[in-house]
Amino acid sequence: MNEGRNGSADAASGGRHETPLQARLQPVRIAVDDDRFCATLVTPAPALPAVMFVHGWNGSQEFELAHVRDAVGLGCAVLAVDLRGHDRDDRRHAQVTRDDNLRDLVNAYDWLVARADVDASAIAVVGFSYGAYLAALLSEARAVRWLALRSPASYPDEGWNVPKHSLEDQIDLDAYRREVQSADSDRALRACARFRGDVLLAAAEHDDVLPPQVMQSYRDALRSARSITTRILTGADHELSQADSRRDWSELLDAWLREMVIGARREATVEALEARAEAVERAENPHRRD
Protein backbone atom coordinates (compact mmCIF):
# COMPACT_ATOMS: atom_id res chain seq x y z
CA MET A 1 0.00 0.00 0.00
CA ASN A 2 1.40 3.34 -0.99
CA GLU A 3 -0.19 6.32 0.70
CA GLY A 4 0.56 9.97 0.05
CA ARG A 5 -0.06 12.50 2.79
CA ASN A 6 -0.07 16.26 2.93
CA GLY A 7 2.78 17.81 4.85
CA SER A 8 6.27 19.14 4.57
CA ALA A 9 9.41 17.06 4.31
CA ASP A 10 10.80 18.34 7.60
CA ALA A 11 13.13 16.21 9.64
CA ALA A 12 11.79 15.41 13.07
CA SER A 13 14.24 17.67 14.82
CA GLY A 14 16.43 19.05 12.09
CA GLY A 15 14.27 21.96 10.97
CA ARG A 16 12.89 22.39 7.49
CA HIS A 17 14.59 20.65 4.62
CA GLU A 18 15.71 22.74 1.72
CA THR A 19 14.50 21.25 -1.54
CA PRO A 20 17.00 18.44 -2.05
CA LEU A 21 19.12 18.00 -5.16
CA GLN A 22 18.98 21.59 -6.40
CA ALA A 23 19.12 21.91 -10.16
CA ARG A 24 21.30 24.56 -11.82
CA LEU A 25 20.23 26.51 -14.91
CA GLN A 26 22.86 28.19 -17.02
CA PRO A 27 22.06 30.24 -20.13
CA VAL A 28 24.59 29.49 -22.87
CA ARG A 29 25.31 30.64 -26.43
CA ILE A 30 26.46 28.01 -28.87
CA ALA A 31 28.50 28.92 -31.94
CA VAL A 32 27.46 27.78 -35.40
CA ASP A 33 29.22 29.03 -38.53
CA ASP A 34 29.60 32.78 -37.93
CA ASP A 35 26.55 33.01 -35.71
CA ARG A 36 25.34 31.91 -32.29
CA PHE A 37 22.09 30.62 -30.83
CA CYS A 38 20.81 30.47 -27.26
CA ALA A 39 20.31 27.41 -25.10
CA THR A 40 19.86 26.56 -21.44
CA LEU A 41 22.03 23.97 -19.70
CA VAL A 42 20.34 22.27 -16.74
CA THR A 43 22.54 20.21 -14.41
CA PRO A 44 22.04 18.70 -10.97
CA ALA A 45 24.04 20.17 -8.13
CA PRO A 46 27.42 18.47 -7.71
CA ALA A 47 26.59 17.27 -4.18
CA LEU A 48 25.06 13.78 -4.20
CA PRO A 49 22.16 12.31 -2.25
CA ALA A 50 23.40 9.67 0.17
CA VAL A 51 22.12 6.37 1.56
CA MET A 52 23.16 4.94 4.92
CA PHE A 53 22.65 1.21 5.52
CA VAL A 54 22.29 -0.02 9.12
CA HIS A 55 22.46 -3.76 9.83
CA GLY A 56 20.57 -5.70 12.49
CA TRP A 57 21.83 -7.09 15.80
CA ASN A 58 24.68 -9.57 15.29
CA GLY A 59 24.79 -8.44 11.65
CA SER A 60 27.34 -6.57 9.59
CA GLN A 61 27.59 -4.37 6.54
CA GLU A 62 28.22 -7.43 4.36
CA PHE A 63 24.50 -8.14 3.87
CA GLU A 64 23.80 -4.52 2.98
CA LEU A 65 26.62 -4.34 0.43
CA ALA A 66 24.37 -6.26 -1.94
CA HIS A 67 22.24 -3.09 -2.22
CA VAL A 68 25.14 -0.73 -2.78
CA ARG A 69 25.28 -1.28 -6.53
CA ASP A 70 21.67 -0.18 -7.02
CA ALA A 71 22.01 2.91 -4.83
CA VAL A 72 25.27 3.95 -6.49
CA GLY A 73 23.58 3.38 -9.85
CA LEU A 74 21.07 6.05 -8.88
CA GLY A 75 23.90 8.51 -8.39
CA CYS A 76 23.96 8.25 -4.60
CA ALA A 77 26.86 8.15 -2.19
CA VAL A 78 26.54 5.08 0.06
CA LEU A 79 27.77 4.42 3.59
CA ALA A 80 27.34 0.91 5.04
CA VAL A 81 28.35 0.72 8.68
CA ASP A 82 29.56 -1.97 11.10
CA LEU A 83 28.27 -0.88 14.49
CA ARG A 84 30.37 -1.55 17.56
CA GLY A 85 29.88 -4.81 19.40
CA HIS A 86 27.87 -6.75 16.84
CA ASP A 87 30.47 -9.30 15.86
CA ARG A 88 30.22 -12.14 18.36
CA ASP A 89 34.02 -12.22 18.47
CA ASP A 90 34.15 -8.52 19.32
CA ARG A 91 35.17 -8.05 22.95
CA ARG A 92 32.51 -5.29 23.16
CA HIS A 93 29.67 -7.67 22.26
CA ALA A 94 28.60 -8.23 25.87
CA GLN A 95 28.92 -4.55 26.86
CA VAL A 96 27.56 -2.46 23.98
CA THR A 97 24.29 -0.62 24.69
CA ARG A 98 21.60 0.97 22.58
CA ASP A 99 23.04 4.34 23.53
CA ASP A 100 26.47 3.25 22.25
CA ASN A 101 25.08 2.15 18.90
CA LEU A 102 22.94 5.26 18.48
CA ARG A 103 26.05 7.36 19.04
CA ASP A 104 27.81 5.22 16.43
CA LEU A 105 25.09 6.04 13.95
CA VAL A 106 24.99 9.76 14.77
CA ASN A 107 28.75 9.99 14.31
CA ALA A 108 28.55 8.09 11.01
CA TYR A 109 25.85 10.51 9.82
CA ASP A 110 27.91 13.54 10.83
CA TRP A 111 30.96 12.16 9.06
CA LEU A 112 28.94 11.53 5.91
CA VAL A 113 27.21 14.92 5.64
CA ALA A 114 30.48 16.75 6.33
CA ARG A 115 31.73 15.58 2.93
CA ALA A 116 31.63 18.25 0.24
CA ASP A 117 30.25 15.75 -2.29
CA VAL A 118 27.17 14.85 -0.18
CA ASP A 119 23.90 16.81 -0.11
CA ALA A 120 22.98 17.04 3.56
CA SER A 121 19.33 17.73 2.64
CA ALA A 122 19.00 14.44 0.75
CA ILE A 123 19.89 11.63 3.16
CA ALA A 124 18.21 8.22 3.14
CA VAL A 125 18.65 5.74 5.99
CA VAL A 126 17.86 2.05 5.43
CA GLY A 127 17.71 -0.18 8.50
CA PHE A 128 16.84 -3.77 9.34
CA SER A 129 15.41 -4.97 12.68
CA TYR A 130 17.58 -3.44 15.44
CA GLY A 131 19.18 -1.26 12.76
CA ALA A 132 15.72 -0.02 11.71
CA TYR A 133 14.99 0.84 15.34
CA LEU A 134 18.22 2.85 15.47
CA ALA A 135 17.40 4.49 12.12
CA ALA A 136 14.10 5.73 13.57
CA LEU A 137 16.00 7.18 16.53
CA LEU A 138 18.50 8.84 14.19
CA SER A 139 15.66 10.60 12.36
CA GLU A 140 14.97 12.56 15.53
CA ALA A 141 18.61 13.45 16.18
CA ARG A 142 19.53 14.41 12.61
CA ALA A 143 17.85 15.52 9.37
CA VAL A 144 16.75 12.42 7.45
CA ARG A 145 14.79 12.87 4.22
CA TRP A 146 13.97 9.24 3.42
CA LEU A 147 13.56 6.37 5.89
CA ALA A 148 13.35 2.69 4.90
CA LEU A 149 12.56 0.30 7.75
CA ARG A 150 12.55 -3.47 7.18
CA SER A 151 11.11 -5.50 10.04
CA PRO A 152 11.86 -2.77 12.60
CA ALA A 153 12.38 -4.03 16.14
CA SER A 154 10.80 -2.36 19.14
CA TYR A 155 12.12 -1.84 22.65
CA PRO A 156 10.77 -0.09 25.72
CA ASP A 157 12.87 2.79 27.00
CA GLU A 158 13.52 0.85 30.18
CA GLY A 159 17.08 -0.43 30.31
CA TRP A 160 18.42 2.11 27.82
CA ASN A 161 21.96 1.70 29.15
CA VAL A 162 21.71 -2.04 29.77
CA PRO A 163 24.00 -4.01 27.40
CA LYS A 164 21.97 -5.08 24.39
CA HIS A 165 23.29 -8.63 24.73
CA SER A 166 21.60 -9.07 28.12
CA LEU A 167 18.54 -6.86 27.57
CA GLU A 168 16.13 -9.79 27.18
CA ASP A 169 17.26 -11.17 30.54
CA GLN A 170 15.97 -8.04 32.26
CA ILE A 171 12.99 -6.99 30.14
CA ASP A 172 10.10 -9.07 28.80
CA LEU A 173 10.50 -7.97 25.18
CA ASP A 174 8.07 -10.58 23.88
CA ALA A 175 5.25 -9.21 26.03
CA TYR A 176 6.05 -5.65 24.97
CA ARG A 177 6.05 -6.57 21.31
CA ARG A 178 2.82 -8.57 21.41
CA GLU A 179 0.84 -5.43 22.21
CA VAL A 180 0.25 -2.62 19.75
CA GLN A 181 2.05 0.30 21.35
CA SER A 182 0.93 3.92 21.20
CA ALA A 183 3.16 6.50 19.56
CA ASP A 184 4.35 7.82 22.91
CA SER A 185 5.35 4.41 24.28
CA ASP A 186 9.05 4.52 23.43
CA ARG A 187 11.72 6.71 21.86
CA ALA A 188 11.60 5.11 18.42
CA LEU A 189 7.84 5.43 18.09
CA ARG A 190 7.96 9.02 19.33
CA ALA A 191 10.59 9.76 16.68
CA CYS A 192 8.38 8.18 14.02
CA ALA A 193 5.42 10.29 15.14
CA ARG A 194 7.50 13.42 14.52
CA PHE A 195 8.99 12.30 11.22
CA ARG A 196 7.93 14.39 8.20
CA GLY A 197 9.80 12.69 5.39
CA ASP A 198 9.02 9.70 3.15
CA VAL A 199 8.92 6.16 4.54
CA LEU A 200 9.20 2.61 3.26
CA LEU A 201 7.94 0.14 5.87
CA ALA A 202 8.36 -3.56 5.06
CA ALA A 203 7.66 -6.69 7.09
CA ALA A 204 8.29 -10.40 6.55
CA GLU A 205 5.14 -12.49 6.12
CA HIS A 206 6.53 -15.29 8.30
CA ASP A 207 8.62 -13.28 10.74
CA ASP A 208 9.74 -15.67 13.49
CA VAL A 209 11.26 -12.91 15.62
CA LEU A 210 8.85 -9.97 15.59
CA PRO A 211 5.06 -10.34 15.88
CA PRO A 212 2.82 -8.31 13.54
CA GLN A 213 1.88 -5.95 16.37
CA VAL A 214 5.33 -4.34 16.06
CA MET A 215 4.73 -3.45 12.43
CA GLN A 216 1.32 -2.05 13.37
CA SER A 217 2.85 0.08 16.12
CA TYR A 218 5.31 1.64 13.67
CA ARG A 219 2.61 2.08 11.04
CA ASP A 220 0.34 3.89 13.48
CA ALA A 221 3.16 6.11 14.75
CA LEU A 222 4.15 7.28 11.26
CA ARG A 223 0.97 9.32 10.91
CA SER A 224 2.76 12.56 10.00
CA ALA A 225 5.04 11.15 7.31
CA ARG A 226 4.95 12.94 3.97
CA SER A 227 4.31 9.56 2.32
CA ILE A 228 4.40 5.97 3.52
CA THR A 229 4.76 2.80 1.46
CA THR A 230 4.00 -0.43 3.33
CA ARG A 231 4.74 -3.90 2.02
CA ILE A 232 4.56 -7.47 3.28
CA LEU A 233 7.37 -9.60 1.82
CA THR A 234 5.46 -12.71 0.79
CA GLY A 235 6.88 -15.98 2.11
CA ALA A 236 9.80 -14.24 3.82
CA ASP A 237 11.21 -14.93 7.27
CA HIS A 238 12.90 -12.37 9.50
CA GLU A 239 16.39 -12.88 8.11
CA LEU A 240 15.31 -13.27 4.45
CA SER A 241 17.01 -16.65 4.40
CA GLN A 242 15.59 -17.55 0.98
CA ALA A 243 17.04 -16.12 -2.22
CA ASP A 244 13.57 -15.19 -3.50
CA SER A 245 12.90 -13.13 -0.39
CA ARG A 246 16.21 -11.32 -0.69
CA ARG A 247 15.47 -10.56 -4.34
CA ASP A 248 11.98 -9.26 -3.49
CA TRP A 249 13.39 -6.91 -0.86
CA SER A 250 16.17 -5.74 -3.14
CA GLU A 251 13.72 -4.95 -5.94
CA LEU A 252 11.32 -3.19 -3.57
CA LEU A 253 14.06 -1.06 -2.03
CA ASP A 254 15.57 -0.20 -5.41
CA ALA A 255 12.20 0.85 -6.84
CA TRP A 256 11.40 2.98 -3.79
CA LEU A 257 14.78 4.70 -3.70
CA ARG A 258 14.52 5.32 -7.42
CA GLU A 259 11.09 6.92 -6.98
CA MET A 260 12.33 9.09 -4.12
CA VAL A 261 15.61 10.26 -5.66
CA ILE A 262 14.43 10.72 -9.23
CA GLY A 263 11.23 12.37 -8.01
CA ALA A 264 13.25 14.83 -5.93
CA ARG A 265 15.50 15.62 -8.89
CA ARG A 266 12.49 16.15 -11.10
CA GLU A 267 10.91 18.44 -8.49
CA ALA A 268 14.11 20.46 -8.19
CA THR A 269 14.31 20.85 -11.98
CA VAL A 270 10.69 22.00 -12.22
CA GLU A 271 11.26 24.57 -9.47
CA ALA A 272 14.37 25.88 -11.19
CA LEU A 273 12.56 26.19 -14.52
CA GLU A 274 9.61 27.94 -12.88
CA ALA A 275 11.96 30.38 -11.14
CA ARG A 276 13.64 31.12 -14.46
CA ALA A 277 10.30 31.69 -16.18
CA GLU A 278 9.26 34.08 -13.41
CA ALA A 279 12.56 35.97 -13.69
CA VAL A 280 12.09 36.34 -17.44
CA GLU A 281 8.53 37.59 -16.93
CA ARG A 282 9.68 40.12 -14.37
CA ALA A 283 12.37 41.38 -16.74
CA GLU A 284 9.82 41.78 -19.53
CA ASN A 285 7.26 43.43 -17.26
CA PRO A 286 9.09 45.43 -14.55
CA HIS A 287 5.84 47.05 -13.37
CA ARG A 288 4.16 43.73 -12.55
CA ARG A 289 2.71 43.51 -9.06
CA ASP A 290 2.42 40.23 -7.19
Side-chain angles (χ1 to χ4, degrees):
M1 177 172 58
N2 189 351
E3 300 178 5
R5 298 188 181 184
N6 293 330
S8 65
D10 294 354
S13 65
R16 296 188 63 84
H17 282 291
E18 297 300 323
T19 301
L21 311 178
Q22 298 288 337
R24 295 182 175 181
L25 272 66
Q26 178 184 354
V28 297
R29 293 174 64 82
I30 299 173
V32 54
D33 298 329
D34 295 327
D35 204 352
R36 292 176 181 271
F37 61 93
C38 296
T40 300
L41 176 66
V42 184
T43 59
L48 301 173
V51 183
M52 293 179 63
F53 287 98
V54 192
H55 58 76
W57 180 245
N58 290 331
S60 75
Q61 63 174 290
E62 293 304 317
F63 181 84
E64 307 301 343
L65 289 177
H67 304 297
V68 168
R69 178 194 62 188
D70 294 334
V72 171
L74 286 173
C76 296
V78 175
L79 181 65
V81 301
D82 274 337
L83 301 176
R84 289 179 293 170
H86 284 250
D87 189 329
R88 295 180 189 274
D89 295 328
D90 189 328
R91 60 179 175 78
R92 298 166 294 188
H93 184 74
Q95 287 82 40
V96 71
T97 67
R98 286 179 282 172
D99 187 67
D100 292 330
N101 286 154
L102 178 57
R103 287 189 290 113
D104 293 343
L105 202 53
V106 168
N107 278 272
Y109 176 102
D110 290 345
W111 178 89
L112 180 64
V113 301
R115 294 180 56 89
D117 57 352
V118 168
D119 184 345
S121 71
I123 305 297
V125 183
V126 181
F128 160 60
S129 196
Y130 177 62
Y133 166 80
L134 293 173
L137 294 174
L138 177 67
S139 74
E140 185 171 41
R142 295 293 186 268
V144 174
R145 177 67 180 82
W146 301 297
L147 192 59
L149 309 176
R150 177 169 73 82
S151 298
S154 64
Y155 301 87
D157 293 342
E158 178 186 354
W160 176 253
N161 287 307
V162 171
K164 172 67 172 67
H165 178 70
S166 57
L167 192 59
E168 292 187 44
D169 296 334
Q170 301 189 31
I171 297 173
D172 191 346
L173 286 180
D174 186 64
Y176 185 77
R177 291 169 174 174
R178 290 196 177 279
E179 293 186 7
V180 176
Q181 301 294 332
S182 64
D184 60 354
S185 295
D186 62 62
R187 290 181 60 174
L189 294 180
R190 289 193 293 274
C192 287
R194 289 190 281 267
F195 187 68
R196 300 294 185 271
D198 300 287
V199 181
L200 171 62
L201 184 60
E205 182 182 23
H206 303 304
D207 198 316
D208 53 346
V209 175
L210 300 172
Q213 290 90 334
V214 176
M215 177 76 160
Q216 187 62 49
S217 297
Y218 274 91
R219 176 65 185 81
D220 291 348
L222 287 161
R223 57 183 178 267
S224 296
R226 182 174 184 238
S227 71
I228 180 166
T229 300
T230 60
R231 291 287 186 275
I232 302 298
L233 299 172
T234 304
D237 59 18
H238 187 72
E239 298 288 344
L240 304 187
S241 58
Q242 300 299 315
D244 286 350
S245 299
R246 294 192 294 274
R247 185 194 64 240
D248 289 347
W249 167 240
S250 182
E251 290 177 352
L252 172 61
L253 179 61
D254 176 55
W256 182 79
L257 284 174
R258 187 176 300 276
E259 179 184 353
M260 296 299 107
V261 173
I262 293 178
R265 284 180 169 147
R266 183 180 297 114
E267 179 182 345
T269 301
V270 168
E271 289 185 2
L273 290 171
E274 289 177 345
R276 178 179 182 275
E278 183 176 348
V280 169
E281 184 177 351
R282 286 181 180 277
E284 293 176 348
N285 184 9
H287 301 295
R288 193 190 82 172
R289 293 183 178 180
D290 292 328

